[in-house]
Amino acid sequence: MINILVLEDDEKLNYVMCAKLNSNSYNAIGCRNAMEALDKIQNVKFNLIISDIMMPQIDGFEFVSLIRRHDKMIPIMFITVKNDFAAKEHGYRIGIDDYLTKPVDLDEMLLHVGALLRRANIVNEKKITIGEFYIDAEEMTAYFNGDEIPLTVREFNILFKLLSYPKRTFTRNQLMDSFWGSDSDTASRTLDVHIARLREKLIKCDEFEIQTIQGIGYKAVPK
């Protein structure tokens, strides 16, 4: 059973979202505030979190920040009335994976939930195939058209992380914290060098591209 936490303070919307998820073979558990949600997380293994932003006491931004201190991998999606770029940028910077605005189409919500869960499963399997490109985290190897691509350990780890969440933007700080444990200027420049080298080594691979998101970070996008 796939457990999904729905954090939404509007009682009617919370019920409707949970009902839609439950009718599609998920096990949705609704919470009306962040403290209740944090208590549930202590006792239930969730596969995905859906959260509002505008809530009393602890808002969605603070809630996600608390979650990401202990769990870097669980998919998190905001569903909120806030539709400004600043809110979206802040959400992605603190670690969300997806963002939908209200009024939400419940069928569209289901599509996004399915996509997020598929991405999470890719990470668990530790193998990714995109056309003629193949990468294996167990063997620490990557191939294109049957030829191995020579990657350093750090280059491999960066590439695997980006490809594990296609189209998800990782901020520079997220990548630096993951692979250097530092947000220093030195690490920031080093990250740029590693991305540049990855692009050079993947220049013949046309299955995906590593895109720069100006002022934020990087993402891998299948073609």
Side-chain angles (χ1 to χ4, degrees):
M1 180 66 70
I2 295 175
N3 296 318
I4 300 177
L5 174 67
V6 177
L7 175 52
E8 167 59 61
D9 63 337
D10 183 292
E11 183 176 5
K12 182 178 180 180
L13 181 56
N14 193 313
Y15 174 82
V16 170
M17 290 169 62
C18 287
K20 184 69 171 181
L21 291 164
N22 289 334
S23 67
N24 284 270
S25 301
Y26 298 113
N27 180 41
I29 298 176
C31 294
R32 300 279 303 282
N33 61 71
M35 290 305 299
E36 181 185 359
L38 291 170
D39 286 340
K40 289 287 186 184
I41 289 171
Q42 299 300 316
N43 301 307
V44 179
K45 175 63 176 177
F46 287 101
N47 303 98
L48 183 145
I49 294 173
I50 298 173
S51 176
D52 192 7
I53 293 178
M54 300 174 66
M55 296 179 292
Q57 297 179 324
I58 298 176
D59 67 12
F61 294 128
E62 185 177 355
F63 172 70
V64 170
S65 296
L66 291 170
I67 295 299
R68 284 296 183 234
R69 291 178 189 174
H70 305 286
D71 191 333
K72 303 291 187 183
M73 302 307 296
I74 186 170
I76 302 176
M77 176 168 60
F78 273 159
I79 296 182
T80 175
V81 72
K82 292 180 70 65
N83 193 28
D84 57 289
F85 177 78
K88 294 178 181 179
E89 180 182 23
H90 184 46
Y92 283 111
R93 284 186 180 276
I94 62 175
I96 68 164
D97 301 276
D98 206 351
Y99 196 112
L100 291 177
T101 54
K102 299 175 182 177
V104 64
D105 182 292
L106 295 179
D107 289 323
E108 182 180 3
M109 177 190 73
L110 285 176
L111 292 176
H112 284 250
V113 165
L116 288 173
L117 291 170
R118 284 194 298 274
R119 295 178 197 173
N121 190 53
I122 286 173
V123 176
N124 292 333
E125 290 182 355
K126 298 187 177 182
K127 296 178 182 179
I128 303 171
T129 300
I130 306 174
E132 296 300 319
F133 177 85
Y134 173 79
I135 188 168
D136 188 327
E138 296 288 348
E139 297 181 1
M140 294 289 287
T141 52
Y143 300 88
F144 179 63
N145 282 335
D147 297 324
E148 184 174 352
I149 301 171
L151 300 174
T152 67
V153 172
R154 192 158 279 161
E155 288 169 353
F156 181 93
N157 288 334
I158 293 171
L159 181 60
F160 191 84
K161 188 177 186 74
L162 293 174
L163 291 175
S164 294
Y165 297 90
K167 298 184 180 181
R168 169 181 168 178
T169 298
F170 285 92
T171 68
R172 297 167 66 84
N173 283 343
Q174 285 174 330
L175 293 172
M176 290 186 292
D177 288 345
S178 295
F179 303 117
W180 282 272
S182 168
D183 58 358
S184 68
D185 290 339
T186 299
S188 178
R189 290 192 295 271
T190 303
L191 172 62
D192 294 338
V193 170
H194 279 72
I195 293 293
R197 288 176 178 169
L198 275 172
R199 285 170 170 160
E200 289 179 5
K201 293 179 178 182
L202 294 165
I203 194 168
K204 294 183 179 180
C205 178
D206 55 3
E207 309 290 359
F208 63 90
E209 63 177 331
I210 300 174
Q211 295 183 354
T212 300
I213 308 303
Q214 194 65 34
I216 300 177
Y218 299 97
K219 66 178 179 179
V221 179
K223 296 182 179 179

